[in-house]
Amino acid sequence: MFRKTALATGLLLALGGTGAQAQQRQGFTFWYGLTGQLSEAVQSVCKRFNESQAQYSVTCTSQGDYARALQNTIAAFRANEQPTVVQVYDVGTADLMLAEVYRPARELMASQGHQVNWNNYLPPIAAYYATSKGEMLSFPFNSSTAVMYWNRAAGQKAGIDQPPATWEQVADAARKMKSAGQACPIALDFDSWAMFEQFAAIHDLPIATRANGYGGLDAEYVFNQGLMKQHFNNLLGWYKEGLIQIRTAQSGKDVIASFAAGDCAMTFGSIASHTTIRRTAAQGLDWTPVMLPIYEGSKRINSRVGGASLWTLKGRPEGEYKAAAAFFAFLATPDSEEYWSTITGYIPVTATGQSRLEQSGFYNKPENAGREVAMQSLLLTEPTENSRGLRLGNMTQFRAAYANEMQAAFAGQKTMDQALAALQAQGNQLLRRFEQTYRGKQLP
Amino acid sequence: MSNTRRALFRSAWLPWALVLPQLLIIFVFFYWPTGEALYWAFTLEQPWGGGNAWVGWQNFAAVFSSEGYWHSVRISILYAASTTALAIGAALLLAMFVDREVKGSRGYRLAMIWPYAIAAPAIGIIFRFVFDPRSGVFAFLNQAAPGLWDPTLNGDHAMTMLVLAGAWQLVSYNFVFLLAGLQSIPRGLVEAAAMDGAGPLRRMRDLQAPLLAPTLFFLVIINMTDSFTHSFALVDVMTGGGPARSTDLMVYKIYSDGFKGLDYSGAAAQSIVLMLLVVGMTFLQFRFVERKLHYK
């Protein structure tokens, strides 16, 4: 009898113990698609959140790159094992919106009693993750935009003092550098984001009809014309002239590494790489980010936000949503935004975060030199239909098709016109397939 | 061999109970997924599981009308054939050296078996360094003539690189079988031929190769099937299907369309086609090639 009672008491104590602990700290899981140094940065954000309060705790897990994180989340969702919060990259937004597996940001925060000033989110960032009616469905997290990286010393050696602002000047600078002994004036890769998507945004050119897909699933690609076509033919011409070298990770050094090592004097990429270049730059490298070049005669408008946002998935216990809402509220504080921008190359996503950085002298610090360029580029004008974002299905496959067609053109298997026409045709097939998969559904 | 002995079980259910675990494993890991893939191949499946719609043969029509797919089929066959030829050829040569007791053969008989124990992604990473156009072993080609070797932009170079890595992996497996085959050929036959004045190459062509035919046939089938289905890890690590889809083998295309591109239905249709292709090829080999072989 005694033994039984003792056992029961022990059991009760054990159960009560875990129960009390669970009451103390409500946990939830967060999956993200960043690796290496950026993964460590996310982990430190999670740690800050867990240490900032005693009610909730977040468990953050890296799932590999963006695409892998999305794959794993889908697999987990189908097995009913999904995380509460997941990071999904910009081009996955259309897929998520149609899947109806998420709790909209506004509804989530309201249901958990959080007051959020949604207008505080910077317009070009909010526009990407919002519905056609302007309601944000997910929380912008790591945000960036594309810039050109310029090696000042290499420019001065060739007699150029000002970084080029137009493509005409870029070509001119590259020629002068080449004759001044720079073997690789421009480094280029096959990533569509900076060279294709952002190019269209700042030149106010449509990539697809129906306002780049925001207007409906029946959008069609229309990029293969005019300036866009001209630009890619120019790039190929400059490659043949020896002004551009292809630098990819498979060939040893990617564009950023080639720039940081001083091999190549110009390249294009995310402002998030600012930190990478600063940390890995060759001794004494004199460099700065500048706005992406545009063509003479074009009016420059704002560039587009890139990166990823945080989605809350349906089907978890209610308590986890309370914890997740607290996490989102924590991330949106100016303190958190400053911390995140300090440990990574990403930009703040709210107006208060941005003004905090400006007031605290963030951009004046030598290690952040030039990072304000990204904000200038992003906030240059009100977003138009062409610079707001892309709401096109199967974008991951489209980007892969872009890389393949560009490789074919640069390797001389096709002319650039053939490659662009093939890309547009494949893109439209992908859009039609996406439309059919989500037959009868509407983009919110 | 005519007096076959049959072991009989007393009860009717015992044999079934004994094979049940095996059947269950085959069902769970083979028939069930295959059935699921077959179903998906005829529907359009939403990635997040929001529902699907029956589309009949549309996925197959889309696959067969795609230029990219036929390209993938062509290069997969090219890859399988060249990898198999190279792997068997190299293994045969090595096995002959060992069989002839060339100096040091005991040592490399052991060394030859190792590569088969290395996981494909590891091989991929190692060979990526070897073939790196700027800093790898092959970089000397570029030092001799700039631009001579560039698997990151030249599709033929990328394919060559994959074939070499794939064959390297299979050589050890083939070597084990071929050496066993060679050693089971009676010494007397080889010695008699030698006494009649046949040189090593002549003996190989007229004596050892025909006697090895069953082993070679077995290896061709295994190598071909392996090249079609197990090339995934090498492609994933070494080229990612590029440049310009020049190494987008069927099995990798299934992965990239399905998991990266979230087109589950298209990928399911492709995997059904791949399965039928491998089954068909094996059938053809048995039907037409095996008949020409003599096992005894």
Side-chain angles (χ1 to χ4, degrees):
Chain A
M1 184 64 204
F2 173 74
R3 268 182 61 192
K4 260 190 185 166
T5 324
L7 207 77
T9 327
L11 209 67
L12 258 174
L13 271 175
L15 281 175
T18 53
Q21 226 165 26
Q23 270 171 9
Q24 267 174 19
R25 275 177 99 88
Q26 168 67 53
F28 74 100
T29 48
F30 165 36
W31 286 7
Y32 59 94
L34 297 166
T35 55
Q37 189 252 326
L38 287 174
S39 173
E40 283 163 29
V42 175
Q43 291 293 349
S44 75
V45 167
C46 297
K47 195 161 161 253
R48 268 187 94 230
F49 172 70
N50 288 340
E51 285 167 0
S52 72
Q53 39 72 43
Q55 273 178 296
Y56 313 109
S57 76
V58 59
T59 310
C60 304
T61 317
S62 170
Q63 297 291 330
D65 60 13
Y66 286 144
R68 198 62 61 106
L70 188 59
Q71 288 162 31
N72 290 358
T73 308
I74 288 176
F77 190 86
R78 295 180 74 112
N80 216 5
E81 302 271 341
Q82 69 272 30
T84 321
V85 176
V86 62
Q87 180 194 31
V88 177
Y89 57 167
D90 47 5
V91 294
T93 307
D95 300 67
L96 254 295
M97 279 185 167
L98 286 168
E100 294 172 359
V101 294
Y102 58 89
R103 287 188 68 171
R106 193 174 287 210
E107 179 267 325
L108 174 81
M109 296 310 264
S111 75
Q112 304 301 337
H114 287 273
Q115 294 287 329
V116 180
N117 177 13
W118 297 100
N119 293 329
N120 189 21
Y121 284 91
L122 297 170
I125 299 178
Y128 202 110
Y129 301 109
T131 64
S132 49
K133 292 163 206 78
E135 186 195 335
M136 271 167 59
L137 298 181
S138 59
F139 289 90
F141 179 51
N142 53 324
S143 297
S144 65
T145 196
V147 292
M148 179 169 91
Y149 289 102
W150 168 254
N151 186 329
R152 251 191 235 116
Q156 276 156 3
K157 201 178 150 205
I160 305 152
D161 291 327
Q162 286 300 311
T166 67
W167 278 106
E168 286 82 358
Q169 289 168 4
V170 166
D172 184 48
R175 276 186 203 108
K176 284 180 181 157
M177 284 174 172
K178 186 91 186 166
S179 42
Q182 178 83 29
C184 168
I186 304 172
L188 196 70
D189 59 12
F190 299 115
D191 182 25
S192 76
W193 185 65
M195 201 39 60
F196 177 84
E197 296 167 35
Q198 297 284 7
F199 179 88
I202 61 171
H203 286 86
D204 205 2
L205 299 170
I207 284 180
T209 58
R210 303 297 305 266
N212 278 343
Y214 276 70
L217 294 181
D218 53 347
E220 282 182 29
Y221 283 107
V222 289
F223 57 80
N224 186 20
Q225 54 178 326
L227 191 58
M228 202 82 162
K229 208 168 168 176
Q230 184 57 46
H231 174 55
F232 280 94
N233 277 299
N234 287 349
L235 286 179
L236 185 58
W238 295 331
Y239 172 72
K240 287 180 180 158
E241 209 181 318
L243 307 180
I244 292 179
Q245 282 194 8
I246 301 295
R247 295 291 175 120
T248 59
Q250 283 85 17
S251 67
K253 277 182 193 162
D254 62 15
V255 288
I256 294 300
S258 302
F259 180 82
D263 297 352
C264 302
M266 288 179 260
T267 194
F268 313 90
S270 162
I271 188 67
S273 300
H274 189 285
T275 318
T276 317
I277 297 176
R278 177 165 57 80
R279 289 183 188 186
T280 58
Q283 192 79 34
L285 191 78
D286 183 15
W287 60 285
T288 182
V290 292
M291 280 197 221
L292 287 178
I294 67 164
Y295 275 95
E296 271 166 23
S298 299
K299 186 176 162 293
R300 181 194 290 277
I301 64 164
N302 70 296
S303 60
R304 192 178 287 150
V305 67
S309 68
L310 304 184
W311 292 80
T312 318
L313 296 177
K314 280 181 183 166
R316 302 296 307 178
E318 195 56 30
E320 295 191 1
Y321 293 113
K322 201 169 179 59
F327 183 57
F328 291 135
F330 172 81
L331 289 181
T333 59
D335 270 350
S336 298
E337 291 227 74
E338 186 173 11
Y339 179 73
W340 180 238
S341 292
T342 307
I343 57 171
T344 66
Y346 291 110
I347 58 173
V349 295
T350 63
T352 46
Q354 166 68 354
S355 58
R356 161 66 77 89
L357 290 195
E358 280 169 354
Q359 281 158 20
S360 69
F362 177 86
Y363 293 112
N364 300 329
K365 290 182 187 160
E367 70 264 27
N368 296 325
R371 279 176 69 178
E372 70 282 358
V373 165
M375 296 312 281
Q376 286 162 10
S377 173
L378 195 65
L379 301 172
L380 192 68
T381 57
E382 278 293 303
T384 69
E385 277 190 353
N386 294 328
S387 69
R388 172 168 53 171
L390 298 174
R391 190 71 84 241
L392 300 165
N394 285 335
M395 263 305 272
T396 313
Q397 277 173 301
F398 177 79
R399 281 183 172 175
Y402 168 89
N404 280 315
E405 292 304 331
M406 285 301 133
Q407 283 161 358
F410 277 84
Q413 295 168 14
K414 288 181 176 180
T415 66
M416 187 50 87
D417 285 353
Q418 285 169 339
L420 288 172
L423 178 62
Q424 182 152 307
Q426 284 170 50
N428 283 329
Q429 278 170 12
L430 290 171
L431 287 182
R432 295 294 72 79
R433 194 158 173 86
F434 189 77
E435 186 184 10
Q436 201 191 359
T437 305
Y438 290 104
R439 186 160 38 182
K441 290 203 179 181
Q442 292 278 320
L443 278 167
Chain B
M1 290 306 258
S2 57
N3 55 336
T4 44
R5 282 173 47 187
R6 295 181 63 190
L8 288 174
F9 290 96
R10 291 233 177 80
S11 69
W13 58 266
L14 185 62
W16 286 106
L18 289 174
V19 295
L20 188 68
Q22 183 69 23
L23 283 180
L24 218 62
I25 287 171
I26 293 178
F27 177 78
V28 169
F29 291 103
F30 184 72
Y31 288 108
W32 191 14
T34 313
E36 194 90 333
L38 200 59
Y39 174 65
W40 281 8
F42 289 98
T43 57
L44 261 185
E45 173 80 12
Q46 292 179 16
W48 289 85
N52 54 25
W54 184 264
V55 292
W57 292 96
Q58 189 205 310
N59 291 323
F60 291 95
V63 163
F64 288 134
S65 65
S66 148
E67 194 193 319
Y69 187 72
W70 286 111
H71 170 72
S72 176
V73 173
R74 276 196 302 275
I75 58 171
S76 297
I77 293 174
L78 176 73
Y79 171 81
S82 14
T83 309
T84 304
L86 192 61
I88 293 185
L92 190 59
L93 200 67
L94 292 165
M96 275 171 65
F97 286 154
V98 171
D99 190 46
R100 285 168 55 79
E101 303 277 350
V102 173
K103 212 173 180 183
S105 64
R106 286 182 85 86
Y108 78 66
R109 183 189 308 189
L110 205 65
M112 277 306 302
I113 300 170
W114 284 344
Y116 196 65
I118 301 175
I123 297 177
I125 288 173
I126 295 165
F127 273 91
R128 221 168 77 180
F129 283 114
V130 171
F131 292 121
D132 191 293
R134 281 185 230 280
S135 51
V137 179
F138 270 55
F140 79 90
L141 286 176
N142 286 334
Q143 267 156 14
L148 196 64
W149 172 253
D150 189 7
T152 57
L153 209 54
N154 186 316
D156 297 337
H157 295 177
M159 191 50 138
T160 310
M161 175 171 95
L162 265 192
V163 167
L164 288 176
W168 184 80
Q169 185 188 17
L170 283 169
V171 161
S172 54
Y173 180 84
N174 296 348
F175 169 80
V176 174
F177 279 87
L178 288 172
L179 182 63
L182 281 173
Q183 293 194 332
S184 69
I185 294 172
R187 279 275 164 234
L189 283 177
V190 184
E191 282 160 9
M195 282 173 75
D196 286 345
L201 281 178
R202 181 69 195 271
R203 294 203 296 273
M204 184 66 219
R205 202 179 64 213
D206 288 345
L207 188 72
Q208 288 164 316
L211 286 170
L212 268 182
T215 311
L216 286 171
F217 172 65
F218 164 79
L219 288 177
V220 166
I221 291 179
I222 295 289
N223 282 200
M224 291 288 262
T225 318
D226 195 85
S227 306
F228 269 105
T229 54
H230 288 169
S231 46
F232 169 78
L234 286 180
V235 178
D236 192 36
V237 172
M238 294 177 78
T239 65
R245 295 205 179 83
S246 57
T247 55
D248 198 12
L249 301 183
M250 289 169 82
V251 61
Y252 189 76
K253 190 169 159 58
I254 291 172
Y255 163 77
S256 60
D257 284 4
F259 290 99
K260 283 190 176 162
L262 305 182
D263 179 9
Y264 288 8
S265 304
Q270 289 177 38
S271 57
I272 299 290
V273 175
L274 177 63
M275 189 178 78
L276 292 179
L277 187 76
V278 173
V279 169
M281 233 171 43
T282 315
F283 174 79
L284 278 181
Q285 284 168 327
F286 271 105
R287 181 83 177 70
F288 294 107
V289 184
E290 199 200 16
R291 285 211 285 187
K292 300 206 171 85
L293 299 176
H294 309 285
Y295 284 95
K296 268 289 168 224

